[in-house]
Amino acid sequence: GENVEQHPSTLSVQEGDSAVIKCTYSDSASNYFPWYKQELGKRPQLIIDIRSNVGEKKDQRIAVTLNKTAKHFSLHITETQPEDSAVYFCAASPVSAGGFKTIFGAGTRLFVKA
Amino acid sequence: GAVVSQHPSWVICKSGTSVKIECRSLDFQATTMFWYRQFPKQSLMLMATSNEGSKATYEQGVEKDKFLINHASLTLSTLTVTSAHPEDSSFYICSAPPGTGKNIQYFGAGTRLSVL
């Protein structure tokens, strides 16, 4: 089955700096790659996603890149703010007989220091 | 956007009892729902895929007799943790795609289960 690896597990940046989180996936059939932000005790919130027919997508301060050949994708947050502090999860969605599952990476705890 | 409601948000129970968690799609029909478990400071681990009108599909290592899933209607899936033990204490979250053939997931608010 699909396996998603995520690095780093913890990331600390100064306010205004950029943050980059990287993920790799194993199943070449995966075609949808969402990124979620989760605050303590709350549900994951989708912040951006990318499909396998696109190499890059940007939404204001957040961008995601996808390299299908290498099976890796990255999240880039620019001009970080203290409210960006949270746990970020990458995920991959493989097509399977049971429908679309979402397999999560281990998560990255981002700290943005004011 | 699509809304998924999960209830209860927090439950405390005694060891050996069973706990039922409900997941409802409020403004769309969900033939498929997913159940995840999240331990503190860890990722969301997919437990099972709930299929309306048929048996759930469990991930490897998840005991189907321990975690009973019922998806009796197009808007409701339930997860029952049977004979709960302290090691079952966790955050349980459901999700559902807003339409057939779509892999975007909308998540419930989660249920924090504490087994004493």
Side-chain angles (χ1 to χ4, degrees), chain A residues 28-82:
Chain A
S28 56
S30 289
N31 61 1
Y32 175 65
F33 306 91
W35 286 86
Y36 291 90
K37 176 183 181 181
Q38 188 181 29
E39 296 178 352
L40 188 63
K42 296 189 177 181
R43 78 185 83 193
Q45 297 281 358
L46 179 70
I47 56 171
I48 196 168
D49 56 12
I50 191 167
R51 297 192 180 273
S52 58
N53 58 349
V54 176
E56 185 174 356
K57 184 177 178 180
K58 188 174 181 180
D59 182 4
Q60 299 183 339
R61 296 188 296 112
I62 296 173
V64 59
T65 59
L66 170 66
N67 183 326
K68 277 193 66 179
T69 303
K71 295 204 205 103
H72 63 69
F73 55 115
S74 302
L75 177 72
H76 303 252
I77 306 174
T78 58
E79 300 173 30
T80 54
Q81 301 166 3

Side-chain angles (χ1 to χ4, degrees), chain A residues 38 43 51 100-102 105, chain B residues 34 36 38 43 59 103 107:
Chain A
Q38 188 181 29
R43 78 185 83 193
R51 297 192 180 273
F100 299 107
K101 300 181 185 182
T102 301
Chain B
F34 299 94
Y36 294 84
Q38 186 177 33
S43 187
E59 295 298 303
N103 46 9
F107 285 86

Side-chain angles (χ1 to χ4, degrees), chain B residues 3-18:
Chain B
V3 178
V4 174
S5 173
Q6 188 172 340
H7 179 82
S9 57
W10 194 13
V11 58
I12 302 174
C13 69
K14 292 183 179 180
S15 186
T17 60
S18 294

